[in-house]
Amino acid sequence: SQQGEEDPQALSIQEGENATMNCSYKTSINNLQWYRQNSGRGLVHLILIRSNEREKHSGRLRVTLDTSKKSSSLLITASRAADTASYFCATVQAAGNKLTFGGGTRVLVKP
Amino acid sequence: ETGVTQTPRHLVMGMTNKKSLKCEQHLGHNAMYWYKQSAKKPLELMFVYNFKEQTENNSVPSRFSPECPNSSHLFLHLHTLQPEDSALYLCASSLDRVRAGANVLTFGAGSRLTVL
């Protein structure tokens, strides 16, 4: 099974609404990263949160990390049609520094 | 443009052909990666090179042969592929593979491979 698993697998919202997606993982991590992928393109790094951090912001993005629950969430506020993409969490394991991607959440923002 | 360039962007090949995918980065990164992304499957890490040395091979069939002549270039040589190998092949690079926090990945746009 995967180290990082996103929930939900797909999300459809109206422009202007907030989008929240979650990532759960199994083993201790050094850091957790979120990436975005537009259809048929490469992934783009969005934000990194270290294991000793609880919350991080970048523009309209807010990431939280709860190491006791082994989970993270990504919130996109005031969504735009251009935010339509797949979002992936990636965990960097504490042992071995291995980076593993989850299955992703497909987000559709309707204008 | 992310700084990681992949060519070709699209490739159609027969099962008996031999072709190569190329990846190039001039970000000063020392680690390079090949990933395979198939429809409805998670990203699969195929190979990792750190300072030109292969450090990971995730049980990839021998019909995929990587080559890393220097820290800036990575190739994936393809031969006698199967239709199920059709996928988006993504190259990525990072500062290095080992140091925690140094493996933030920069991806190329991918090479869409179709095997007939």
Side-chain angles (χ1 to χ4, degrees), chain A residues 35 37 41-43 97 99, chain B residues 37 97-100 103 105:
Chain A
Y35 289 79
Q37 183 181 32
R41 307 285 295 184
L43 283 72
N97 230 19
L99 186 150
Chain B
Q37 188 176 35
R97 168 66 184 83
V98 176
R99 287 184 297 125
N103 50 5
L105 301 182

Side-chain angles (χ1 to χ4, degrees), chain A residues 2 30-31 33 35 37 40-43 45 48 88 92 96-99 101 103, chain B residues 9 35 37 42-43 56 88 90 97-101 103-105 107-109 112:
Chain A
Q2 300 171 66
N30 274 323
N31 65 70
Q33 303 172 32
Y35 289 79
Q37 183 181 32
R41 307 285 295 184
L43 283 72
H45 179 259
L48 178 153
F88 295 85
V92 178
N97 230 19
K98 186 176 179 182
L99 186 150
F101 284 91
Chain B
R9 291 293 317 281
Y35 282 88
Q37 188 176 35
L43 272 166
E56 289 178 54
L88 181 68
L90 292 164
R97 168 66 184 83
V98 176
R99 287 184 297 125
N103 50 5
V104 171
L105 301 182
F107 281 85
R112 172 70 62 186

